[in-house]
Structures are given as structure tokens and as C-alpha cells.
Amino acid sequence: MTAQMKSVVVDQAKGRWELQDRPVPQVGPDDVLVRVHACAICGTDLWLSDGVLSFREFPIVPGHEAAGEVVAVGEGVTRRKVGDRVGVFMTQKMCGVCDFCHEEHPNSFVTAANCANPTLTGVTVDGGHAEYVAVDAGGTVLLPDAVSYEQAAPIICAGYTVWAGLRRAEPKPGARVAVSGIGGLGHLAVQYAKAAGFHVTALTHSPDKKDIALELGADEVVSDGASLRAAGGADVLLHTNSSHAAVADAMNGLKPWGKVVLMGIGTDELALPALALTSNSYQVIGSAHNTIEHLVEALDFVARGEVRTLVETFPKERAEEAHASAAAGEVRFKAVITY
């Protein structure tokens, strides 16, 4: 008799996150079977379950911010063993045969969106919102012992994203870093930038987030680009919110030769100020996860107690409540479902 597990299944676009019985996945060559203990909800999960993004037909099992324990390994696996505490991130593996793979980009290991046929956890294949998930061993990262599963899960994507983006900008020592949007990504970006030794300015239109941003390490909190400029400006602008319109406004506070790193995704059009872009020699950088070392570094900050994720946890039986709350913006920072 095939062993069964509980799994979150979305049967149709804009459907409910229903907890259903499904077979425990089989472990193939090069795979590991992970007993999931916690999986965070990413904005991408919401877009996938709503059909805004579509990579496969419904039903789907979302989730690419999972943390758990390896309980079985497939043939040929040497880098992981039973008992390892691991995080499961989006990119399991690339196809290895398309033109993009043959170009051997330095960040291609985890930035597989340009691969013709990637294996993406929770996107092209079933994801981590389940009691068990089978993934290629290369789609996992070892978790520091000091980091709980609930704390680790949001770092697997959100923390990874903002730290990789900051690293991609290559700010100089003593640089001024601004974070636009203090939400699931932004509350982590403030902490990473401060922990790395930079002067941090938080931009938010929400008065109730000012105190939180200051508690997380922001040196000051402003509401727009003009206020940012008055506060001393920014060498690097980390754009983490879901409004592209906020980018152009925040750029009013960007110093000459400054860099804008786009990490938040919105549905509105991105309009950049051409004159300012040219005359001030601004750089606009799109950044996803970049290299695996950035994820390891992001987790190490948490292990050292320099970064913490602000989470609201839900048991798997309340998966739809977690989904609905996250979709409505009622979860202040990150929702995590435990399994």
C-alpha cells in the first residue's frame, strides 16, 4: 500500500489551498526526500495559485521556501545524508542542454528562469507545501543548527533575494543603502544592510511601520524620494515592494552614480526617468537569487542572531487561512505553514 501524506493542493486558478491526501513522492536517482517541517508563503506562490503566472496546468502544489529533514536519499547522492537539516529552494536543476545552459553564466546554478526547461520546485513541479517533497539534492542547502525551521523557511527565498541583491550592487564601505517597502522582503533587507555595516534608510508610506523599521536597524525612516534626498540620499536603492511606481519616486533620492536593484515584482508598468538615469549615470539592476554562496551567507546572518524573520505561523490544517491572509495583505511580513 502506498504511503500517504497531507499536501496543499490548488485545483484551479484563484482556488482554495485545500489540504488533501496524496502519495508520498518516490525518490529517484540524485534525489532526496525531505520531511517538511515549515514552508513560507512567497508572493510568487500567490501569483501562481491565482493564475497570474502560469508554468504548468492545475492542480498544483505550491511552495519553494521549505525547510525540513532529509529522510531518504536516492541512488548517486553523496552531498546529502539522512538526518541532514535542509532548506529547499526554487531551482532544483537546469536542463543542461539549451543555449543558456551552454553559455555557463556564473549565476546560472540558481537563476534558472532563462533555461529552456528548468526544474523549479513549486513552479514546474510540486512544491514544499506538503509533509514530504522529493527534490534533486542540488536543490537543497544545509541549514545551520542554530536556525529553526520556521526561521529558515523565509530565508530560502525572501532573505536569499535581498541579500543576493545587496551583494550584486557591490556597495562600497560606508555606503548609504535605502530600502523601498518594509514588507516580507524589505524587513529583511533593512536587517541585512545594517548587519553588513551600511547606513540604512527605510522608505515606507505606512506610519505604523516606522517604529518596526527603526527596531530592525534602520537609521531613519522616510516616506518618499524627496525625503530620502533630504536625509542624505542613497548610493544603493533596494526596491522590495510590489509597486513599480514607487521606484521612480524613490529614485529622486538616489545619489549620482547610484544603483537601483529591482527585487519586488508588481503588475504595474515600470517607468524610469530617462533624463535622470542618463545624466546621473544610474545603474538599474535586476536581481533574483544569484549564486548559492549568497544563500549560505544569508542563513549565517540568521544563525549569528544578526537577522530574524518576523513570521506568523499556521498549522497545515489552516493552510487556506494562511493563504487568504497573505493574499489580503493581513500578514504583516511572512506567513509560515508548519507540517
Side-chain angles (χ1 to χ4, degrees):
M1 185 176 180
T2 304
Q4 298 288 301
M5 66 173 183
K6 296 294 184 182
S7 178
V8 170
V9 179
V10 185
D11 287 322
Q12 60 185 353
K14 299 183 178 180
R16 293 172 56 85
W17 284 31
E18 299 285 357
L19 199 62
Q20 299 181 10
D21 289 322
R22 279 199 162 192
V24 174
Q26 298 295 307
V27 182
D30 302 320
D31 286 349
V32 294
L33 182 65
V34 178
R35 173 63 175 92
V36 177
H37 290 283
C39 190
I41 297 178
C42 177
T44 304
D45 294 328
L46 303 179
W47 283 22
L48 288 165
S49 62
D50 282 349
V52 176
L53 294 176
S54 180
F55 294 88
R56 59 188 300 213
E57 294 183 356
F58 287 92
I60 64 171
V61 177
H64 57 271
E65 292 182 315
E69 179 184 359
V70 174
V71 294
V73 298
E75 182 181 355
V77 173
T78 59
R79 70 180 88 181
R80 299 287 180 265
K81 66 182 185 301
V82 172
D84 281 345
R85 300 174 72 250
V86 297
V88 177
F89 49 86
M90 183 184 289
T91 301
Q92 289 188 40
K93 58 184 176 181
M94 298 167 65
C95 72
V97 297
C98 71
D99 290 343
F100 182 80
C101 288
H102 285 168
E103 291 170 2
E104 296 185 355
H105 294 270
N107 64 341
S108 63
F109 179 74
V110 285
T111 310
N114 301 109
C115 170
N117 189 30
T119 302
L120 306 176
T121 303
V123 180
T124 63
V125 296
D126 286 347
H129 280 296
E131 291 180 323
Y132 294 89
V133 62
V135 300
D136 186 273
T140 65
V141 62
L142 292 173
L143 299 179
D145 291 338
V147 181
S148 70
Y149 293 123
E150 291 83 0
Q151 280 287 303
I155 302 300
I156 303 304
C157 181
Y160 189 2
T161 296
V162 296
W163 175 244
L166 182 59
R167 290 272 268 111
R168 183 86 180 271
E170 298 181 330
K172 295 179 180 180
R176 300 177 68 91
V177 175
V179 178
S180 174
I182 310 302
L185 292 174
H187 90 283
L188 292 169
V190 167
Q191 295 179 75
Y192 278 113
K194 191 62 181 179
F198 300 110
H199 182 282
V200 182
T201 303
L203 284 88
T204 178
H205 291 291
S206 303
D208 60 328
K209 289 187 177 180
K210 179 178 180 179
D211 289 342
I212 294 175
L214 292 171
E215 290 173 9
L216 293 175
D219 293 284
E220 65 255 329
V221 182
V222 299
S223 59
D224 53 29
S227 300
L228 174 61
R229 182 174 64 252
D235 300 291
V236 173
L237 170 63
L238 301 179
H239 180 67
T240 68
N241 62 37
S242 58
S243 169
H244 288 143
V247 176
D249 177 78
M251 286 178 67
N252 288 319
L254 196 63
K255 297 167 68 174
W257 295 85
K259 298 177 181 179
V260 181
V261 186
L262 301 177
M263 292 170 286
I265 303 173
T267 56
D268 58 326
E269 290 296 321
L270 174 60
L272 296 175
L275 179 59
L277 193 70
T278 303
S279 60
N280 291 310
S281 297
Y282 291 152
Q283 294 184 45
V284 179
I285 302 168
S287 179
H289 288 158
N290 306 332
T291 66
I292 190 67
E293 68 178 305
H294 296 156
L295 176 53
V296 174
E297 292 168 354
L299 287 164
D300 283 343
F301 275 104
V302 181
R304 295 195 299 267
E306 297 180 68
V307 172
R308 61 190 173 96
T309 56
L310 300 182
V311 302
E312 183 174 349
T313 59
F314 300 79
K316 60 181 180 292
E317 293 79 10
R318 294 169 56 198
E320 171 53 25
E321 180 185 344
H323 160 242
S325 296
E330 295 171 356
V331 175
R332 291 296 301 276
F333 297 102
K334 292 291 293 186
V336 174
I337 301 176
T338 56
Y339 292 91

